[in-house]
Amino acid sequence: MTGVYTIMKQKKKIFEVIILMAFVVVLGNFCNKRESMSNEYQYVEEKKNVVEQYFAEIVPELEAYASYIERESEGAASLIYYVCQTVEEIPNSEGDDGYYIYVGEQWENHQVNWDWFFVKADLSEIYYYDIVDGSYLTLEEWRTSELYRNLE
């Protein structure tokens, strides 16, 4: 009987080792997937930063917007602009290949939308995006349209 008991004990230990090894493999896969997700998130954030920097260089009106908002709000609000996370956040958008940029005022507890822009994925062009009718204007068209904010 002692021999059977010893064999059963050894089988139990082998089973426990197999379970432990399986757990380590699963945990390792989870960690690798998590690292992959982290790398993907980092890439997306870096790309968004590049798009936002490009946008700020090409649209100098942002400086006037910032000054106007600061002055008119007496320092209570500031300019905010950022690449939106998903196309679903954009009214009337078609999901084009590029990045939608929100521009507005940042207050302590809310934001006020001013404008939307669309930057092509290859950073070759920027368009003003009219969220009301879903149309796009080149920056030159926008600057001569009624939609342009002349803050002088």
Side-chain angles (χ1 to χ4, degrees):
M1 191 80 160
T2 306
V4 172
Y5 179 72
T6 304
I7 292 173
M8 295 283 288
K9 238 177 142 180
Q10 288 175 343
K11 283 185 177 182
K12 183 179 177 192
K13 283 189 179 191
I14 291 171
F15 180 73
E16 288 173 352
V17 168
I18 290 171
I19 294 296
L20 182 60
M21 289 173 60
F23 177 74
V24 168
V25 168
V26 169
L27 184 61
N29 286 339
F30 174 75
C31 290
N32 287 340
K33 187 173 188 175
R34 189 169 170 210
E35 182 178 326
S36 173
M37 289 169 53
S38 176
N39 290 341
E40 185 177 322
Y41 175 80
Q42 183 177 358
Y43 171 78
V44 169
E45 288 302 307
E46 287 172 2
K47 183 65 174 177
K48 285 171 48 178
N49 289 338
V50 168
V51 171
E52 289 167 0
Q53 287 174 353
Y54 170 73
F55 175 71
E57 290 172 12
I58 303 300
V59 183
E61 287 86 353
L62 295 175
E63 291 178 28
Y65 281 18
S67 295
Y68 180 86
I69 293 168
E70 179 79 20
R71 182 178 65 249
E72 293 300 311
S73 71
E74 297 177 352
S78 60
L79 175 70
I80 185 171
Y81 62 93
Y82 56 86
V83 173
C84 289
Q85 299 290 10
T86 63
V87 174
E88 289 77 31
E89 294 179 69
I90 318 302
N92 295 325
S93 66
E94 300 277 329
D96 297 314
D97 189 24
Y99 306 90
Y100 287 92
I101 297 185
Y102 171 93
V103 178
E105 301 172 23
Q106 178 66 57
W107 291 79
E108 182 179 337
N109 59 358
H110 68 282
Q111 294 177 351
V112 177
N113 178 225
W114 275 42
D115 292 314
W116 289 89
F117 292 86
F118 177 77
V119 179
K120 283 193 159 187
D122 63 1
L123 305 182
S124 63
E125 297 179 70
I126 297 177
Y127 296 92
Y128 174 85
Y129 177 63
D130 185 344
I131 63 170
V132 175
D133 65 13
S135 64
Y136 298 86
L137 300 175
T138 65
L139 291 180
E140 293 74 27
E141 292 170 333
W142 167 64
R143 288 176 176 133
T144 60
S145 76
E146 293 177 359
L147 299 169
Y148 186 78
R149 297 173 192 267
N150 189 351
L151 302 176
E152 294 175 10

